[in-house]
Amino acid sequence: MASRFFLGLAASFLLLVTGCKDPGSSTAGSALYTFDSTTSQVFIWTDMEKLYDSAAIPPNIPSNIPPTYQISSSLFSQVSNLAWGGVCFDQKRGVLYLVSATGTIVRVSSIRTQTGTVPSAQVFSYSLSSTGRLTNSTFGQANLDATNDTLYITENGDSSTQIWVLTGASTQAQNAVVALQPLLIGGDTGGTGVSAANGVVYGFMANGG
C-alpha cells in the first residue's frame, strides 16, 4: 500500500486530506478523510474513484458528493481551530490524528470501522507542552511515520520554526501533556510542511529551508 496526501480549502474550513491506495493507477476502494471545522466532524469517503470520476466531479467535492460517513466525538471540538495541514493518518495502525493550531491533538483509533459517534474508548485528546514553545507561535502541518509510531508537527513563531517530535503517538494517554523534543530550530520562519517515512524527515520552510 502507498499513501497520498492532498491539501484542499473548502468553504470556511481547512483540510488536509489523506488517502491510501493499492499500487497502480486505480483509486478504487481507497478512503478519503477530511475534517470540517464548522461542524467538528470527520467526513469519510470510502471510494476515491467516485470523487475523481471526471464525469461526476463538480468544482466543490464536499458540497456535491456527500460523504459515506460523518463521524463525531465530543473531543473533536477541542481541535475545531484545526492547524493548517492538521490531519494525518497512520495507515499501519488505522489511526487518524487531528491537530489544532494551538497544540491540542485528538487521536481516533480503528478509524476504518468508524461510522458515527466514536466510542469514548477509541478517541483520546492530549496536548503539546507550553514549555519550549516559540513566541507567538501557531502549529501547522502534522505527519506520522508509521514505521516508528512518531508524529511530527511544525510550529511557527515570530522569528523561527521548529518541528515537534512525538514518539509513541498511538499510546499517549488521555489528557497527557507532551514535552518538547525539537527536531529543528532555526531562523527560518513560515515552516509549512513536514513529511516523514522510514525514519527520514523532510521539512519545508517558506523562506528557503
Side-chain angles (χ1 to χ4, degrees), residues 51-204:
L51 298 180
Y52 284 87
D53 184 343
S54 59
I57 185 170
N60 191 343
I61 295 173
S63 294
N64 294 279
I65 303 180
T68 312
Y69 302 113
Q70 294 175 228
I71 67 172
S72 60
S73 167
S74 60
L75 297 183
F76 288 175
S77 62
Q78 297 182 22
V79 292
S80 59
N81 181 22
L82 193 70
W84 184 93
V87 179
C88 65
F89 180 65
D90 182 345
Q91 183 179 348
K92 180 179 178 180
R93 298 170 183 82
V95 176
L96 189 73
Y97 292 89
L98 307 171
V99 180
S100 77
T102 55
T104 298
I105 302 165
V106 170
R107 182 182 78 236
V108 184
S109 303
S110 303
I111 188 62
R112 294 186 181 96
T113 60
Q114 304 295 347
T115 59
T117 301
V118 181
S120 59
Q122 295 178 338
V123 58
F124 305 86
S125 68
Y126 41 95
S127 60
L128 301 176
S129 175
S130 59
T131 302
R133 293 192 183 189
L134 303 175
T135 303
N136 298 323
S137 69
T138 299
F139 291 94
Q141 187 173 6
N143 196 255
L144 192 287
D145 187 344
T147 61
N148 54 23
D149 195 23
T150 301
L151 184 65
Y152 299 89
I153 305 171
T154 60
E155 180 192 11
N156 304 310
D158 283 345
S159 58
S160 61
T161 294
Q162 63 184 6
I163 298 174
W164 287 62
V165 181
L166 173 53
T167 57
S170 68
T171 59
Q172 295 292 326
Q174 174 68 22
N175 295 324
V177 177
V178 182
L180 172 64
Q181 298 181 59
L183 177 65
L184 172 68
I185 300 177
D188 280 311
T189 56
T192 55
V194 62
S195 180
N198 299 314
V200 180
V201 183
Y202 295 91
F204 174 78

Side-chain angles (χ1 to χ4, degrees), residues 21-55:
K21 61 181 291 294
D22 291 325
S25 59
S26 175
T27 55
S30 298
L32 184 66
Y33 303 88
T34 69
F35 182 75
D36 181 356
S37 293
T38 61
T39 62
S40 294
Q41 291 183 317
V42 173
F43 292 173
I44 304 173
W45 286 266
T46 56
D47 193 343
M48 287 175 59
E49 186 174 54
K50 293 180 180 178
L51 298 180
Y52 284 87
D53 184 343
S54 59

